Amino acid sequence: MGFRNTLPGVVCAAVLLGAGQAATRPVWLDTARSVDERAVALEAALTPEEKRTLLVGAFAVSIPEVNIHKPAGAVGSAGYVPGIPRLGIPALQETDSTLGIANPFDVRPGDTAVALPAGLATAASFNSEIAYANGVLLGREAAARGLNVLLGPGLNLARDPRGGRNFEYLGEDPLLAGTLAGDIARGVQDQHVIAVAKHFAANDQESGRQIVNMAIPEPALRESDLLAFEIAIDRGHPGAVMCAYNKLNGPHACGSAPLLKYTLKHDWGFPGFVMSDWGAVHSAVDLANGLDQESAAGLDDREYFVTPLDAAIKAGLVPPARIDDAARRILRSMIAAGLLEQREKPIVNVKADIAVARNAETEGIVLLSNPSAVLPLPADLRCLVVAGGGSDAGVPAGGGSSEVTPVGGIAREIKLGGEGLAALFRRQIYDPPAPVAAIRARLPHTKIIWVDGRYPAEAALLSAVCPAAIVFVQQWAGEDSDIPNLTLPSGQDALIASVTHANPHTVVVLETGGPVLLPWLKQAGAVMEAWYGGSGGADAIAGVLFGDINPSGHLPMTFPASVLDLPNPALSGQYMPAGRDFSAAFPEGSNVGYRWYAATRKTPQFPFGFGLSYTDFAYSNLHVGGGQTLSVSFDVRNSGQRAGANVAQAYLTARGGQTLLRLLGWHKQSLQPGEIAHVTLTADPRLLADYQMVPHQFHVPGGTMTVSVGADAGNLKLSGTAAVGSRMLAP
Ligand code: BGC
């Protein structure tokens, strides 16, 4: 690759300005002017028909079986909005997204891309640099293919560990998810590709996602799901926000004035545009309520922003000025991301991008248990049993629109059934290379015995005669359905029980889309969570197993001890016959994840923020400062024998007389043995506040507040207090 991105329209635009003006650069191409000035000028140069074309997208894949054909001019990806060549406005070529550049239905025949690990792995890194590097990779890999809109990051809060798309997202905490999503968006847009924060808002479950009404009162939303988006937008300035399928407190998200018009655009001053999720528009009046662009209009039951919009305008339901505003917002984001400038397409360096993916997985693997230091495994084992999890093929990937056709080709594909279009989506694929190959490469002198794990007795008999065993277990998750419970599927618990019984030096590698129950935990020699590892997965897993890498991932989601401890032991709408609208209530309100366990005094299996290392860390010298907000400083010392990275976490644990638990900040740093990090953190005051409806603002209740610092939400070593003044925060 590496050919020129041609924008013939730029030349035409200068010509069209007429003889007297041809030498003057049009205002919208003048990079010395502000983005807003340029957007206003460009919008003014558009005809009413041209503005309308910007408001409607098309599905840009080819599925002849169901009469879907890629539009002319589309590169081939999830979506396409034609450009306006006479003014140098390029088409929007929209691609999925969160875990690599997707190639849906092989629309770009044979095109493979580097697969990033699950979003949960990136979140587990607790590392902004990892998130930013992922964004750069995504932006660069998109731009190299002529794609200029990336339909990510995804940052719905993991309200329920059974959520089918949790693996794509960034965990259960608004600060963590919002911060990392902002970093990803920055990375994407630094490559001149528009980032799209999705799915706005509260698409926190897949069950009934088109018909569920997520009933979450506004104050709770503002302190949780919406706060994550607010933080991401402040930090990363994504050019667009994708509204979600679900209803939210009544209207569908894509037609919700409270959500789009008032919260996003008015209160937060979001200057970009709102695009719909694919098939999420239900009325032309959605334009009046804040939606700017109907994506893949052919997937809606009518193309609402085409003919029905004329009728809605005529009936006075949509002010015509909204068309100008929507067009201007779209143009503004294009200008801000640099889509109007001519530039060379980047060249993808697959090797370098695999290294980026591997780093993300390396920092995202969470060591959950290692009581007698079975890990790291020695390299001079006589023999080693490796069982299960498709570890002879690759690492599992999640399903749905985020699925990437990985470099090296799909290592294994398992069809999961279903009918129609959905069946094309429902498959489990594996990304190469195979973990067993990565293990072999590290242990050239060890006899590696691989078994598929179908017969626990076989795996156990073989494991009994070797000094150690590794069992890979997996749980598939994908878009459009949630997971029924937290038990590993297909009898894998029995496999682990047999092998750990036969050999206590058994390491369990979890490759799951979220938390699972570990009934055999006490028998296992060691357990690590590797999520869906992506193109660098096998190597990163082997690196942790044999100690080239000291694990530093921390859980971005609580691992519950039982489904009965969840706010909703039965997931609303799961397995309900399709078609009947329903409401889902969330007793936890803004207390998502670990905050729920703290509020209800339940002890989870593993708390949020948990993660072991091959070294130890000691905390000391906590100072807490008050005033407008809380600030903390403390020291962390590597008190063990190996170099390793620490993720020190600070939580608000009491406010006035009320105990609570809210992550205020964290600091990740690599430390040599004996080395000390001096950490200072300042709390975002929204994290100290409650959201009030009158007036619509965050309110910090003044008083004494307690901050606790430590290794995870369940293991806080030091506490200190300071007084914070009462105040309303500017909206
Ligand atoms: C998903 C979005 C995705 C879109 C385009 C939808 O089904 O919810 O996340 O970006 O499809 O593929």
Side-chain angles (χ1 to χ4, degrees), residues 549-609:
I549 294 163
N550 191 349
S552 64
H554 288 252
L555 293 179
M557 288 183 72
T558 309
F559 271 44
S562 159
V563 164
L564 297 176
D565 290 347
L566 300 177
N568 282 313
L571 197 67
S572 297
Q574 200 174 21
Y575 307 121
M576 242 177 51
R580 219 175 319 129
D581 293 14
F582 65 99
S583 238
F586 297 88
E588 75 280 16
S590 68
N591 281 332
V592 177
Y594 64 91
R595 300 178 181 192
W596 164 259
Y597 294 89
T600 56
R601 298 183 192 284
K602 290 183 170 133
T603 307
Q605 185 170 225
F606 292 109
F608 174 86

Side-chain angles (χ1 to χ4, degrees), residues 154-174 177 198-210 212-217 220-229 242-249 253 277 478-483 513 557 568 571-572 574 582 584-586 588-593:
L155 65 149
N156 292 99
L157 287 192
R159 270 184 189 271
D160 195 294
R162 294 161 295 190
R165 293 183 87 173
N166 285 344
F167 74 91
E168 278 187 61
Y169 303 147
L170 297 162
E172 67 191 21
D173 179 74
K198 71 185 186 184
H199 309 87
F200 195 64
N203 185 178
D204 301 340
Q205 66 174 58
E206 292 298 287
S207 299
R209 65 177 177 169
Q210 305 263 10
V212 61
N213 175 39
M214 301 292 281
I216 308 173
L221 265 183
R222 292 270 193 164
E223 294 166 12
S224 56
D225 298 69
L226 293 183
L227 182 56
F229 275 91
M242 183 192 289
C243 54
Y245 284 124
N246 51 282
K247 296 177 187 173
L248 186 55
N249 297 324
D277 201 341
E479 188 172 332
D480 209 19
S481 62
D482 294 313
I483 294 161
M557 288 183 72
N568 282 313
L571 197 67
S572 297
Q574 200 174 21
F582 65 99
F586 297 88
E588 75 280 16
S590 68
N591 281 332
V592 177

